[in-house]
């Protein structure tokens, strides 16, 4: 799999990354560590060398699972993890990083990201200058190689960039959720900031495996996802029906098509989760899909059946609260 540069850093990432929110188990159902470890390993062996995790995913459990899966090939893998919104004071960032290093059984983190801006989830307000000072110090010490942010708006990204180099932005971004295109994408293109799209398959909706009338267990975070509710869900089914012939023409899955469309967008890379090894291998195959300019436009137009109706929904995909 061809790799890409992460922002202005010397880090090479795979265009499809392995996402490990589910590895933490919290807010997911039916997840087993043994399956997750096999999924991470299969992703790596298929060329997905970049693994994204976070301290908050199962309070460190996801990071520990990543270490179990990849410790013997650590030097060939790229680890991206995140500090949560409640740990953004200077000392808290340093402590959180040390915890993540321990969980990941490594002495450096390739990409260390602010998971949510301060104030999110009722967290304390901390000046971004203070948080960035901690991140810059960690970078200088060699504990982290690059700094990224997640769930930041363009304005927040611009402010953070005043205090140090930001090499990546991690927003929710898929064919069915495109808020970031009207907000931060132009700034990322202008400043060579890599976009690491999370939920690139709209939490499984773009795989086509959830048909009309599907409902989720209330413990599953997708039960609160706006895309799975009411008319949004019906419009998504209409769009999927129009996407199927394109996927069939290439003899690829709907998921491959959605990932291939996304990684063809400016600066965009896709963080795709997997519950088992088979899904990991399928995710890696998306990099082999070659779409023409006409097909990309056709797919784009089909996606707008869903996204044009979401223009006023804002950046957050879930109805939490």
């Amino acid at each position: 799999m061809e790799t890409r540069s992460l922002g202005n850093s010397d880090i090479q990432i795979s265009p499809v990354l392995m996402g490990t929110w589910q590895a933490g188990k919290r807010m997911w159902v039916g997840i087993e560590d043994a399956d997750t470890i096999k999924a991470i390993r299969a992703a790596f062996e298929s060329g997905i060398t970049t693994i994204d995790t976070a301290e908050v995913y199962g309070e460190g459990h996801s990071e520990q699972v990543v270490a179990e899966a990849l410790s013997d090939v650590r030097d060939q893998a790229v680890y991206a993890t995140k500090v949560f919104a409640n740990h953004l004071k200077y000392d808290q960032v340093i402590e959180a990083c040390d915890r993540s290093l321990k969980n990941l059984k490594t002495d450096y983190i390739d990409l260390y990201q602010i998971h949510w801006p301060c104030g999110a989830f009722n967290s304390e307000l901390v000046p971004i200058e203070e948080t960035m000072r901690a991140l810059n110090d960690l970078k200088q010490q060699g504990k982290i190689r690059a700094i990224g942010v997640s769930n930041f708006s363009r304005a927040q990204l611009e402010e953070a960039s005043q205090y140090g180099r930001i090499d990546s932005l991690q927003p929710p971004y898929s064919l069915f959720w495109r808020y970031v295109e009207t907000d931060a994408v132009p700034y990322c293109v202008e400043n060579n900031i890599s976009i690491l799209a999370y939920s690139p398959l709209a939490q499984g909706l773009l795989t086509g495996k959830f048909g009309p009338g599907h409902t989720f267990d209330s413990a599953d975070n997708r039960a609160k996802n706006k895309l799975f509710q009411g008319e949004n869900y019906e419009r998504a089914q209409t769009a999927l029906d129009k996407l199927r012939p394109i996927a069939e023409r290439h003899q690829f899955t709907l998921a491959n098509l959605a990932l291939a469309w996304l990684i063809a967008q400016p600066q965009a890379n896709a963080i795709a989760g997997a519950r088992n090894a088979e899904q990991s291998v399928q995710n890696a195959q998306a990099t082999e899909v070659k779409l023409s300019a006409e097909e990309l436009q056709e797919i784009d137009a089909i996606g707008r059946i869903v996204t044009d109706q979401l223009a006023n929904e804002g950046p957050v995909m879930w109805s939490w609260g």
Side-chain angles (χ1 to χ4, degrees), residues 237-248:
Q237 297 300 323
T238 302
L240 288 167
D241 286 342
K242 291 179 183 293
L243 290 169
R244 279 190 180 92
I246 307 172
E248 285 163 9

Side-chain angles (χ1 to χ4, degrees), residues 33-306:
D33 287 353
D35 292 335
T36 305
I37 289 164
K38 284 178 189 165
I40 294 170
R41 192 69 190 203
F44 176 81
E45 287 167 1
S46 301
I48 298 176
T49 53
T50 311
I51 318 295
D52 182 76
T53 183
E55 65 164 347
V56 79
Y57 298 164
E59 304 304 324
H61 186 71
S62 173
E63 293 176 325
Q64 290 164 2
V65 168
V66 169
E68 199 166 333
L70 296 177
S71 280
D72 63 318
V73 288
R74 168 66 186 105
D75 60 331
Q76 299 164 57
V78 174
Y79 286 178
T81 192
K82 311 179 199 78
V83 55
F84 201 59
N86 59 346
H87 293 149
L88 298 182
K89 286 187 167 181
Y90 183 92
D91 290 345
Q92 292 172 328
V93 174
I94 304 298
E95 288 163 13
C97 182
D98 285 341
R99 274 194 306 273
S100 289
L101 287 166
K102 191 176 175 184
N103 285 333
L104 288 164
K105 294 182 180 169
T106 185
D107 54 4
Y108 68 96
I109 290 162
D110 297 281
L111 174 64
Y112 199 43
Q113 306 155 94
I114 303 172
H115 202 155
W116 287 86
C118 70
F121 305 101
N122 299 313
S123 58
E124 192 177 347
L125 293 176
V126 179
I128 188 66
E129 184 178 6
E130 180 178 342
T131 307
M132 285 297 294
R133 184 161 52 84
L135 293 170
N136 287 328
D137 285 354
L138 287 167
K139 193 173 175 183
Q140 200 171 6
Q141 291 161 19
K143 289 184 175 180
I144 67 175
R145 295 175 66 198
I147 298 166
V149 296
S150 177
N151 299 298
F152 272 44
S153 67
R154 175 177 176 142
Q156 289 165 331
L157 183 54
E158 285 181 348
E159 187 185 2
S161 295
Q162 292 174 24
Y163 302 105
R165 172 64 198 174
I166 306 289
D167 279 309
S168 65
L169 168 69
Q170 188 174 145
Y173 187 18
S174 72
L175 186 58
F176 285 174
W177 193 272
R178 298 168 67 173
Y179 177 87
V180 71
E181 288 181 346
T182 59
D183 182 52
V185 166
Y187 183 80
C188 291
V189 171
E190 207 176 298
N191 293 279
N192 195 32
I193 295 169
S194 294
I195 295 166
L196 311 179
Y198 74 77
S199 298
L201 295 175
Q203 294 208 291
L205 184 53
L206 276 158
T207 65
K209 66 184 175 186
F210 302 117
H214 184 87
T215 55
F216 284 100
D217 184 310
S218 61
D220 192 310
N221 70 85
R222 289 173 290 190
K224 301 273 190 186
N225 188 318
K226 295 170 188 174
L227 287 171
F228 285 93
Q229 293 164 14
E231 289 182 3
N232 289 341
Y233 191 62
E234 288 171 26
R235 278 189 282 268
Q237 297 300 323
T238 302
L240 288 167
D241 286 342
K242 291 179 183 293
L243 290 169
R244 279 190 180 92
I246 307 172
E248 285 163 9
R249 197 157 69 222
H250 284 277
Q251 297 183 303
F252 282 112
T253 63
L254 276 171
N256 284 157
L257 195 72
L259 292 175
W261 173 85
L262 185 55
I263 62 177
Q265 303 310 303
Q267 298 294 112
N269 307 275
I271 303 172
R275 285 173 175 262
N276 54 53
E278 186 188 359
Q279 288 179 353
S280 293
V281 173
Q282 285 177 351
N283 288 340
Q285 287 168 350
T287 61
E288 297 166 20
V289 181
K290 300 294 179 241
L291 297 167
S292 67
E294 291 76 20
E295 285 174 320
L296 287 167
Q297 285 179 334
E298 185 185 0
I299 294 164
D300 186 289
I302 293 168
R304 291 188 188 282
I305 293 170
V306 179

